[in-house]
């Protein structure tokens, strides 16, 4: 990541909105923005499959579910944050991963310019492919600051998206089972 380019660009943004970039409290803001972007977009050059490569063999293929995983991402349309929770359910095919490893994959995917629908789809694809599981279902519930701070200005709106792979695409009873457990 080229922090100096981000600093220069943010100096121009400050000028563009009519601020004095030399004002005392703004003098280090371009540098702080660049540093925060380094963290906010730290998933760009990382492989979300990598955390899932270390798995454990299991004898049963019962449903595995991890819910209410907090996430933060940046909407690629307005470069404003969106945030919420992600629920992941999968049916193994002889192997499972640690719960923290799923969180690491989420962090990698969320720390990129993103849209919610693609975030869920990419996460479902990564888990389905890497674990070679029977099926995966990802549910994301999020608030988008581009809808609450500007535009529609609807503070309590929440966007819910799902992504299903494998058995969850074909078997509505399995989807209902996950949704029931989430309540």
């Amino acid at each position: 990541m080229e922090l100096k380019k981000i600093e220069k660009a943010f100096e121009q943004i400050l000028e563009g909105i009519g601020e004095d970039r030399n004002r005392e409290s703004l003098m280090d803001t371009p540098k702080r923005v660049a540093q925060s972007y380094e963290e906010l977009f730290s998933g760009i050059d990382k492989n979300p499959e990598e955390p899932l490569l270390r798995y454990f063999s299991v004898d049963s293929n019962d449903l595995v579910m991890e819910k209410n995983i907090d996430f933060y991402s940046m909407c690629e349309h307005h470069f404003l944050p969106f945030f919420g929770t992600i629920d992941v359910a999968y049916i193994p095919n002889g192997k499972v991963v640690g719960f923290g490893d799923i969180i690491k994959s989420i962090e990698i995917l969320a720390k990129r310019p993103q849209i919610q629908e693609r975030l869920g789809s990419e996460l479902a694809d990564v888990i389905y492919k890497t674990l070679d599981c029977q099926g995966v279902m990802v549910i994301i519930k999020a608030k988008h600051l581009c809808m609450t701070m500007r535009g529609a200005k609807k503070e309590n709106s929440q966007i819910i998206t799902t992504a299903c792979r494998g058995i969850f695409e074909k078997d509505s009873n399995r989807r209902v089972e996950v949704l029931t457990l989430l309540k």
Side-chain angles (χ1 to χ4, degrees):
M1 191 164 298
E2 298 183 49
L3 298 181
K4 288 293 181 197
K5 278 188 177 181
I6 297 168
E7 283 182 48
K8 292 281 182 212
F10 202 77
E11 287 173 5
Q12 290 183 333
I13 289 171
L14 287 172
E15 289 174 4
I17 63 171
E19 268 293 349
D20 176 7
R21 67 185 180 102
N22 294 313
R23 188 161 51 90
E24 184 181 0
S25 62
L26 289 176
M27 288 183 69
D28 289 331
T29 297
K31 180 185 266 184
R32 286 191 295 269
V33 168
Q35 290 168 343
S36 69
Y37 274 23
E38 185 175 36
E39 182 179 341
L40 293 172
F41 299 112
S42 63
I44 288 176
D45 292 326
K46 293 182 181 170
N47 181 353
E49 294 176 5
E50 196 170 301
L52 304 177
L53 295 175
R54 204 183 72 211
Y55 61 86
F56 308 97
S57 297
V58 292
D59 294 330
S60 68
N61 290 318
D62 297 323
L63 177 69
V64 177
M65 188 176 222
E66 189 170 358
K67 67 183 215 173
N68 294 325
I69 304 165
D70 293 325
F71 81 95
Y72 302 88
S73 193
M74 199 70 109
C75 166
E76 66 185 32
H77 295 151
H78 301 98
F79 265 63
L80 289 171
F82 69 97
F83 57 92
T85 60
I86 297 178
D87 304 318
V88 176
Y90 70 97
I91 299 176
N93 200 14
K95 56 186 176 184
V96 296
V97 293
F99 298 122
D101 296 327
I102 290 174
I103 292 171
K104 289 174 190 170
S105 291
I106 290 169
E107 286 294 305
I108 290 169
L109 292 169
K111 291 196 175 198
R112 301 172 175 186
Q114 226 8 312
I115 61 172
Q116 182 173 332
E117 298 88 342
R118 187 174 62 238
L119 175 59
S121 183
E122 287 176 343
L123 181 60
D125 289 341
V126 163
I127 293 170
Y128 189 62
K129 176 185 167 206
T130 309
L131 293 183
D132 189 30
C133 60
Q134 294 179 47
V136 63
M137 185 170 177
V138 174
I139 301 164
I140 302 178
K141 296 171 274 277
K143 287 190 168 220
H144 293 246
L145 292 187
C146 59
M147 286 182 56
T148 61
M149 292 176 64
R150 54 154 306 281
K153 295 181 184 159
K154 299 301 177 199
E155 196 171 311
N156 293 312
S157 66
Q158 184 179 52
I159 307 301
I160 300 172
T161 56
T162 63
C164 299
R165 302 293 181 269
I167 197 168
F168 290 110
E169 291 177 292
K170 303 169 189 125
D171 188 344
S172 62
N173 290 331
R174 297 310 299 244
R175 285 192 306 274
V176 169
E177 176 186 12
V178 169
L179 295 172
T180 301
L181 289 170
L182 287 174
K183 288 189 175 189

